[in-house]
Amino acid sequence: MALFALLLAARLCHTGILWAEEGLPMAAAAQMAHGKTLYRDAWFDKPPLLPAVYLLWNVRDGVPLRIAGALHALAACMLAFLFARRLWSEREGYWAAGLLAFFLVFGIPSAVTPLAADLLMLVPHLAAVYLAFIGRSFWSGIAVGVAFLVNPKALFVLLACAAWNPRGLAGLALGFASANAAAVLALWWQGALIPYYQQVWQWGRVYAGDTFMEHPWLNGFRRIGNWLGFHLAAVVAALVFWFREGSPKRLPWAVWALVSIAALSLGLRFFPRYFFQLLPVVALASARGFALMKGRHRAAALALLLVPLLRFGPRYPILAADLFAGREHHWQDVAMDRDSRSAAAAIRAISKPGDTLFVWGFRPEMFVYTDLPAAGIFLDSQPLNGVPADRHLTQSRSVAPELAAANRKALLRSTPRVIADGLGPYNPELAITAFPDLAPWLARYKEVARTKGYVIYVLQ
């Protein structure tokens, strides 16, 4: 109960915020709630279970979303407890659950709070490796299959499971194939299989193969160093475990750690949320390390938890105080989200039943805040200008110009009543007005409102 109270309190401080990484799956889920079929009727470049999860609480943001996040984090902690208890004893189980909960609270807010792909994969990731360890190979494969339908990086979890139970490879493969075969059949039955392949895998390959970093490996080493610094207590304890445990027990741990590092390095972006791939193995290994340490050595290692606590802890009371006082958060990290809420209020004031919305830029939270269905299939402008959202505020080079041009032709067949350009004010070269092939289509619209980050148009 204490862990859940910590997880819930921390997440409730973010009830007035919708982070970018959860905006897109929520927007896709909102279209599903409006009766659209994912991929066929709504462009989405992530696997299908990710937006489907949000349907469990009716695609609501605020308190329901944060309660769901706390329950998900608690489930991960419970799995860590069960795994560590089975590996060693109940003492290590409590260490594992406590450490995992701590790092799911005291970390970079935009990573630890959003219930997005990398964090959502944490539960099936832990479940899959645990099931492999106890010899339930088929169910381990099912768990990896579920993880894969949330995040493609689950393929690396498959390798970790094989290392924990090499004799169960047939069952593991069968379970993984069964889960994905069911998903493929469902997509085929809905007429969404080919669009799924195009959006998730073709576009995903383009995105992963083109990093916007000038020196990606230098950036990677810096971000890995930052992560190790904030998790230094766990890293030290994990090293104690590594050097004190016998060598025959090291192989599955080494494979799990190495494939996790490989997964978070994919695409050479090293975003903080990618490190959730590594957190389970570090949390479990460090739980054993803390249990092995004694006296002042354990106290010294625990003192290192002050690093993330002091860095990230003060933000929670500030957010809580803002919520209780009913005032806006004055925090640069959420400035764009505040602006989206203002623009959504302006759109709600001019919209009427039956209206549809098109959002230019990567501002999918607008579909959540306005509750308007999308006009056409596009929920953001990445597939329309070919510039991924990780760079489009400052860069304008398209990574897929032919695909973008073809998608813009499809856009011309839609007739939204409201258009919200949430990119042009930040990067005029990518404003919706900067594309000549859209000019005749856009000429039917009149600008009716502006905020700091939006230009809003209405069909005349």
Side-chain angles (χ1 to χ4, degrees), residues 354-405:
D355 283 355
T356 56
L357 173 67
F358 171 67
V359 179
W360 182 266
F362 188 74
R363 311 298 288 273
E365 65 274 14
M366 292 298 288
F367 292 104
V368 180
Y369 294 153
T370 63
D371 198 30
L372 291 176
I377 71 169
F378 300 107
L379 304 181
D380 69 275
S381 63
Q382 292 179 100
L384 298 165
N385 57 33
V387 185
D390 60 11
R391 70 200 71 173
H392 72 176
L393 296 182
T394 57
Q395 300 179 23
S396 304
R397 181 182 65 85
S398 177
V399 300
E402 295 84 7
L403 174 64

Side-chain angles (χ1 to χ4, degrees), residues 80-416:
F81 172 83
L82 293 172
F83 200 165
R85 184 179 66 176
R86 188 70 176 258
L87 279 163
W88 302 292
S89 73
E90 197 166 276
R91 177 181 57 173
E92 284 84 356
Y94 286 118
W95 276 109
L99 287 165
L100 188 57
F102 180 89
F103 289 118
L104 289 177
V105 170
F106 300 106
I108 295 174
S110 61
V112 299
T113 306
L115 200 55
D118 296 281
L119 183 57
L120 266 174
M121 195 179 75
L122 191 60
V123 166
H125 180 171
L126 273 164
V129 182
Y130 173 62
L131 289 165
F133 168 68
I134 64 175
R136 303 292 181 86
S137 301
F138 175 79
W139 292 107
S140 175
I142 291 288
V144 181
V146 169
F148 184 70
L149 294 170
V150 171
N151 190 337
K153 292 178 184 177
L155 285 175
F156 292 87
V157 179
L158 196 65
L159 297 175
C161 293
W164 279 94
N165 186 9
R167 295 182 179 180
L169 290 179
L172 180 68
L174 180 61
F176 180 77
S178 299
N180 283 279
V184 166
L185 285 173
L187 290 167
W188 172 80
W189 182 71
Q190 294 176 317
L193 185 58
I194 292 176
Y196 158 76
Y197 172 74
Q198 293 170 335
Q199 295 165 31
V200 177
W201 295 105
Q202 287 188 337
W203 171 255
R205 185 168 61 249
V206 171
Y207 172 78
D210 192 293
T211 181
F212 66 102
M213 302 288 183
E214 187 176 356
H215 303 290
W217 283 111
L218 288 177
N219 174 68
F221 288 131
R222 178 177 62 83
R223 291 192 172 182
I224 289 172
N226 289 341
W227 191 88
L228 292 174
F230 286 124
H231 295 76
L232 191 56
V235 171
V236 168
L239 289 173
V240 170
F241 154 75
W242 178 261
F243 287 109
R244 290 195 187 179
E245 292 287 278
S247 56
K249 299 179 181 179
R250 291 178 180 172
L251 181 60
W253 292 96
V255 172
W256 194 7
L258 288 173
V259 299
S260 297
I261 292 170
L264 69 88
S265 304
L266 206 65
L268 302 180
R269 285 164 175 81
F270 299 95
F271 291 138
R273 63 184 182 273
Y274 290 2
F275 286 83
F276 286 124
Q277 188 98 24
L278 184 60
L279 187 58
V281 60
V282 172
L284 285 165
S286 62
R288 178 60 173 165
F290 273 113
L292 291 170
M293 284 189 282
K294 305 294 182 183
R296 67 178 184 275
H297 296 104
R298 181 190 291 170
L302 283 172
L304 295 173
L305 293 174
L306 289 173
V307 175
L309 180 65
L310 294 176
R311 172 62 181 85
F312 301 112
R315 177 59 58 182
Y316 289 107
I318 294 172
L319 294 176
D322 288 343
L323 288 172
F324 281 116
R327 58 176 177 257
E328 286 190 348
H329 301 309
H330 294 286
W331 184 18
Q332 188 58 37
D333 288 13
V334 299
M336 292 182 73
D337 181 62
R338 292 202 313 273
D339 187 56
S340 290
R341 292 174 185 266
S342 298
I347 290 172
R348 289 196 302 270
I350 60 173
S351 63
K352 55 182 185 294
D355 283 355
T356 56
L357 173 67
F358 171 67
V359 179
W360 182 266
F362 188 74
R363 311 298 288 273
E365 65 274 14
M366 292 298 288
F367 292 104
V368 180
Y369 294 153
T370 63
D371 198 30
L372 291 176
I377 71 169
F378 300 107
L379 304 181
D380 69 275
S381 63
Q382 292 179 100
L384 298 165
N385 57 33
V387 185
D390 60 11
R391 70 200 71 173
H392 72 176
L393 296 182
T394 57
Q395 300 179 23
S396 304
R397 181 182 65 85
S398 177
V399 300
E402 295 84 7
L403 174 64
N407 285 336
R408 288 198 299 275
K409 289 182 180 179
L411 175 66
L412 297 178
R413 295 193 291 270
S414 67
T415 309

Side-chain angles (χ1 to χ4, degrees), residues 436-454:
D437 53 347
L438 296 182
W441 177 77
L442 193 60
R444 299 177 294 167
Y445 292 82
K446 177 177 68 174
E447 180 184 329
V448 295
R450 280 183 181 250
T451 67
K452 183 178 179 181
Y454 283 92

